[in-house]
Amino acid sequence: MLAPTETPSYLATRRGKLTLALLCTVAFLDFVDGSIVNVALPTIQRELGMDVSTLQWVTSGYLLTYGGLMLLGGRLADLLGRRRVLIAGTLTIAVASAIGGLADASGLLIGARLAQGVGAALMLPAALSILTTSFREGPDRTAALSVWGGAAGLASAAGVFLGGVLAEGPGWRWIFYVNTPVCLLVLAAVPALVPNDRRNEIRGGFDLLGTALGTGGLMLLVYGLVKAPEHGWGDATTLALLGGAAALLIAFVANERYSADPLMPLSIFRIRGLAAANLTHLTLAAGMLAMFFFVTLYMQSVLGYGEFEAGVAYLPVSLTIGAAAGLSAKLFARVGTRPVIIGGAAITGLGVVWLSFIPTDGSYLTNVLPGMLVMSVGAGAVFVANTTAANAGVPAEQAGLAAALLNTAQQIGGALGIAVLTAIATSRTTAQLAAGEPQLDAMTDGFQRALLVGGLIAISAAVIGLWTADSRGANAADATEEQPKAVVA
């Protein structure tokens, strides 16, 4: 009797490799835009005459629309067609980036950053869902998700590096200009590589109430977290913003439960390990992503590094994350994703804790690089493994939603971590200044306290990782074993 014919590997084909390269370029572009402006902020402030409260929106504006609209972007990709939504998001970023580079006033620059976030919220879930539906579950998808996770982790560090190089080289405006030609290349490649999955019609209606409640709640939550360090956590404005966000999100969940065509079908959480993977991502982002913020401030404000030096300091981080991502894919193919998630989160946290010992008279090679390298090893492993676990067993018709949930968790976690840890750092620095400590010492004490708490938060993600899916990527049963099959609402 003839053996059953095996489906050929799409990843082994030239088209499959080009498709993966295209999708990872999209991921890299979206993630890098979140951090690429950081080291250039002092120059932007000086040239455009911005005060500190306005300057923060050059960073926060992107985060606000990116995190707030991600869920909507993912659902639109499932309903309207992933290729269509990917093209729309790429066009948005291309135009917004060109406007940002030409901006001669703070309002125009912040508007461009808000628009970039809208484009990213459309692009990213569409691209990740194209990946999970293009590469069949098993070794192909495992390898593809590993490369994707590596690109995402790499971008977080590479953004600081590229921002420093561009800001001190051709100028900060090239931080924005460089996006446009990349977007044009993506737009040229998408029709050639991504099949047209446009739906002729949407079955049922669109959840307008759920869209309003979910998007409004997420954007209000991100806005409240961004403004909390400025107003104070006990301030009436902060409490009103966060309370309003909680009310909207509770109403959103109630609406989704009874809606005939929900924006976020709650049945997706029946997939074993999905909720844990998202919570792991949120917690890890809260503890780890703030590290880039505080270490960059430390190098520029305490060690006196310029934009180029601060950017180049992250080059070893980028290389290590990339190497760790590649090795971790081979590791969890043998032992499963769960041990890699747990170990990776713990190592990441320990690296951030190591960085909490930075002294005022420190040096890069002795006090910064070792901790960053340890953190990078863990981050490269956990981002790849958790992305794989979060997408294991997800039906194709919910791939965009699953991608949006994971990336929303990362953005909310990043906003929460920076908000909480900034408050901790500021409180510590203020107390030390009041006690008569010199300014640089007091500032460093604040960074130390924030990094210590951030490291402990990242370590706690290892505990949550105990409940994630333990997929080896060999077949669909790995991720869905002992679980009811997901019901599509």
Side-chain angles (χ1 to χ4, degrees):
M1 187 174 65
L2 294 174
T5 303
E6 292 187 4
T7 305
S9 168
Y10 180 52
L11 186 58
T13 66
R14 180 174 180 271
R15 184 184 180 90
K17 290 183 175 69
L18 289 174
T19 300
L20 179 57
L22 169 66
L23 298 175
C24 287
T25 299
V26 170
F28 188 88
L29 180 67
D30 287 353
F31 281 114
V32 86
D33 274 343
S35 58
I36 196 169
V37 300
N38 288 351
V39 297
L41 289 177
T43 304
I44 294 173
Q45 180 183 23
R46 185 170 59 252
E47 288 195 15
L48 297 185
M50 303 168 71
D51 57 35
V52 176
S53 61
T54 304
L55 183 67
Q56 71 164 327
W57 286 106
V58 177
T59 299
S60 302
Y62 182 80
L63 180 64
L64 178 66
T65 48
Y66 189 17
L69 297 174
M70 185 79 71
L71 188 60
L72 175 61
R75 192 57 176 159
L76 287 175
D78 287 337
L79 292 175
L80 303 180
R82 299 177 184 106
R83 189 175 86 169
R84 194 180 192 186
V85 172
L86 177 58
I87 290 172
T90 306
L91 275 171
T92 303
I93 285 192
V95 174
S97 297
I99 293 172
L102 294 168
D104 58 359
S106 60
L108 187 58
L109 179 59
I110 292 169
R113 287 291 282 169
L114 289 166
Q116 280 185 319
V118 173
L122 295 173
M123 286 177 75
L124 196 70
L128 183 53
S129 58
I130 289 169
L131 185 151
T132 57
T133 53
S134 297
F135 299 95
R136 74 176 189 272
E137 188 133 18
D140 263 20
R141 189 184 296 177
T142 298
L145 284 170
S146 299
V147 178
W148 169 282
L154 182 66
S156 298
V160 186
F161 165 68
L162 293 173
V165 172
L166 290 171
E168 200 156 315
W172 67 265
R173 295 182 183 277
W174 281 92
I175 288 172
F176 297 94
Y177 289 146
V178 73
N179 283 345
T180 302
V182 176
C183 287
L184 293 177
L185 288 174
V186 170
L187 288 170
V190 167
L193 295 173
V194 180
N196 189 357
D197 62 339
R198 177 179 176 179
R199 305 287 179 88
N200 292 324
E201 61 179 66
I202 300 174
R203 290 175 293 177
F206 190 72
D207 184 14
L208 292 176
L209 178 58
T211 299
L213 291 171
T215 302
L218 286 172
M219 292 187 74
L220 195 59
L221 175 60
V222 175
Y223 181 76
L225 291 173
V226 167
K227 299 296 286 184
E230 179 183 338
H231 293 297
W233 286 92
D235 184 80
T237 301
T238 300
L239 295 176
L241 289 171
L242 297 181
L248 287 174
L249 292 174
I250 290 170
F252 168 69
V253 173
N255 178 78
E256 299 308 278
R257 185 174 182 181
Y258 299 107
S259 174
D261 300 286
L263 177 69
M264 184 185 74
L266 300 181
S267 59
I268 195 171
F269 292 107
R270 296 177 188 174
I271 299 172
R272 181 173 174 266
L274 180 72
N278 281 277
L279 187 56
T280 299
H281 227 61
L282 186 150
T283 307
L284 188 73
M288 177 193 128
L289 295 183
M291 180 277 301
F292 293 101
F293 176 72
F294 291 111
V295 172
T296 302
L297 283 178
Y298 170 74
M299 288 192 292
Q300 290 187 290
S301 302
V302 179
L303 300 185
Y305 283 19
E307 294 166 340
F308 179 78
E309 290 174 296
V312 171
Y314 284 97
L315 183 57
V317 176
S318 302
L319 296 174
T320 305
I321 287 177
L327 292 173
S328 68
K330 298 177 181 179
L331 181 60
F332 68 67
R334 295 183 177 183
V335 303
T337 51
R338 190 183 300 145
V340 179
I341 292 169
I342 295 168
I347 293 169
T348 300
L350 290 173
V352 178
V353 170
W354 191 333
L355 286 166
S356 71
F357 292 98
I358 48 174
T360 306
D361 58 350
S363 69
Y364 172 74
L365 290 177
T366 303
N367 305 108
V368 177
L369 183 60
M372 288 207 302
L373 290 178
V374 172
M375 179 278 302
S376 303
V377 170
V382 70
F383 270 105
V384 170
N386 201 55
T387 300
T388 302
N391 286 279
V394 175
E397 59 268 34
Q398 290 186 319
L401 176 59
L405 285 170
L406 185 68
N407 289 291
T408 297
Q410 180 170 326
Q411 297 307 313
I412 297 297
L416 179 62
I418 290 176
V420 171
L421 297 178
T422 297
I424 290 172
T426 302
S427 175
R428 176 66 174 175
T429 297
T430 301
Q432 295 301 92
L433 286 172
E437 191 167 343
Q439 184 174 2
L440 288 183
D441 290 340
M443 189 183 301
T444 303
D445 282 347
F447 297 155
Q448 290 173 342
R449 183 66 59 88
L451 288 167
L452 175 61
V453 176
L456 296 176
I457 291 172
I459 290 172
S460 71
V463 179
I464 302 170
L466 290 168
W467 285 270
T468 57
D470 193 19
S471 171
R472 286 174 171 77
N475 51 58
D478 287 340
T480 55
E481 185 182 356
E482 298 180 0
Q483 71 175 55
K485 187 176 180 180
V487 179
V488 180

